[in-house]
């Protein structure tokens, strides 16, 4: 019976790795550089070498390891097939089988946002809940849906792409995905700043937001300070995200929503604006869903990856 497992979270700059016991306790974590040159051919071998090195350092036998879970950016189906990760240089590949061959031990794979959601549901902000939706608000907007304690991947691993829900027919600026009017364009860190700048351009009222290099943190700091213009931006933020969460709830009926990512550092003030509009638009049977902030931070990915192999 295995005593340990590894969680791997592949990012564009670094790969985060964690060693866990089978109770879900993080014993050690570390990082290695993500080498994206030559179409990222070195990434998986580097991960395998790092894991095997750690096992050697701790004098661990393969029989003591339940397996390795890995999360990576891009759609990954339930069989562990990745359908491309542009920022890594990867095309379609069997992520699960390739790492499994390198390590000679069981491997499970999933989309990084979905895996991070699984981590928050397992040992983070939604610990103890089985039906969870996690939304990460950073430079972009990611998401993950957990039903009956299991990650929803979808037919091609594209489930949970909450940031690319269409929410505005009148938007003319394209999202990073190529479409216009995606949720990400309004509630990500960059989207919040863009909404603020648009409002400031059409309004001559004084505001704490009138500064060079405006950030999403500046916007929320202004909200907390009672800045009228910033509060209007927060209302728009809440309208977009609260309504989107209501639509997600009508499909998935979660017990709890977890809000993570860099923007979530603004704290509970975000939840007030989101819940206000969620309650307005949600189906009656879904209005009891709770809202909370993520707690695992950048470790959510390795926790979720570990959970993949501790079924």
């Amino acid at each position: 019976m295995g005593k340990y497992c590894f969680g791997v979270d592949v990012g564009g700059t670094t790969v985060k790795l964690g060693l866990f016991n089978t109770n879900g306790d993080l014993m050690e974590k570390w990082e290695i550089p993500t080498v994206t040159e030559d179409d990222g051919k070195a990434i998986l071998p580097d991960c395998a070498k790092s894991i095997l090195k750690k096992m050697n350092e701790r004098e661990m036998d393969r029989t003591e390891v339940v397996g390795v879970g890995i999360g990576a950016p891009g759609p990954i189906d339930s069989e562990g097939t990745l359908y491309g990760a542009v920022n890594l240089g990867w095309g379609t590949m069997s992520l699960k089988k390739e790492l499994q061959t390198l390590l000679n031990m069981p491997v499970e794979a999933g989309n990084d946002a979905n895996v991070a959601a699984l981590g928050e549901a397992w040992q983070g902000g939604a610990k103890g809940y089985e039906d969870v939706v996690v939304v990460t608000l950073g430079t972009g907007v990611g998401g993950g849906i957990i039903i009956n304690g299991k990650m929803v991947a979808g037919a091609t691993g594209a489930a949970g792409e909450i940031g690319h829900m269409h929410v505005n027919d009148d938007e003319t600026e394209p999202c990073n995905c190529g479409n216009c009017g995606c949720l990400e364009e309004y509630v990500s860190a960059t989207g919040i700043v863009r909404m603020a700048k648009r409002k400031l351009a059409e309004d001559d009222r004084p505001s704490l937001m009138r500064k060079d290099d405006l950030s999403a943190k500046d916007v929320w700091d202004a909200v907390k300070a009672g800045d009228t213009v910033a509060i209007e931006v927060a209302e728009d933020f809440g309208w977009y995200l609260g309504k989107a969460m209501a639509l997600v709830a009508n499909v998935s009926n979660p017990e709890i929503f977890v809000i993570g990512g860099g923007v979530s550092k603004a704290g509970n003030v975000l939840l007030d604006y989101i819940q206000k509009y969620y309650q307005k638009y949600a189906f009656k049977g879904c209005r009891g869903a709770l809202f909370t902030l993520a707690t695992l931070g950048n470790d959510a990915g390795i926790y979720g990856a570990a959970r993949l192999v501790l079924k």
Side-chain angles (χ1 to χ4, degrees), residues 1-172:
M1 183 70 178
K3 302 176 183 177
Y4 311 103
C5 67
F6 290 90
V8 181
D9 181 16
V10 182
T13 305
T14 62
V15 178
K16 299 177 181 67
L17 301 100
L19 169 64
F20 295 79
N21 63 27
T22 51
N23 291 324
D25 300 315
L26 177 59
M27 300 173 64
E28 186 179 353
K29 63 179 179 178
W30 68 101
E31 297 181 358
I32 60 173
T34 305
V35 181
T36 56
E37 287 80 12
D38 197 20
D39 294 329
K41 290 180 181 177
I43 297 173
L44 289 183
D46 285 349
C47 291
K49 288 175 186 175
S50 187
I51 289 169
L52 294 173
K53 180 182 177 183
K54 188 62 61 179
M55 289 174 61
N56 185 56
E57 289 173 1
R58 287 179 169 262
E59 299 181 345
M60 294 165 57
D61 186 81
R62 275 187 170 84
T63 59
E64 297 180 283
V65 180
V66 175
V68 176
I70 182 170
I76 300 175
D77 67 19
S78 59
E79 300 300 316
T81 300
L82 168 75
Y83 295 92
V86 177
N87 62 334
L88 301 180
W90 287 348
T92 298
M93 61 188 286
S94 178
L95 190 61
K96 173 180 175 174
K97 288 181 181 178
E98 290 199 21
L99 187 56
Q100 204 161 256
T101 299
L102 290 166
L103 288 168
N104 192 29
M105 62 180 71
V107 170
E108 296 293 340
N111 167 266
D112 57 352
N114 291 346
V115 167
L118 187 61
E120 284 291 344
W122 181 41
Q123 297 284 38
K127 186 174 182 178
Y129 294 93
E130 291 286 301
D131 298 287
V132 182
V133 172
V134 179
V135 184
T136 53
L137 308 176
T139 305
V141 173
I145 299 171
I146 310 299
I147 301 294
N148 292 330
K150 298 179 181 179
M151 184 177 72
V152 177
T156 60
E161 287 289 352
I162 292 167
H164 298 292
M165 295 174 64
H166 182 78
V167 295
N168 187 356
D169 286 343
D170 297 325
E171 183 59 66
T172 56

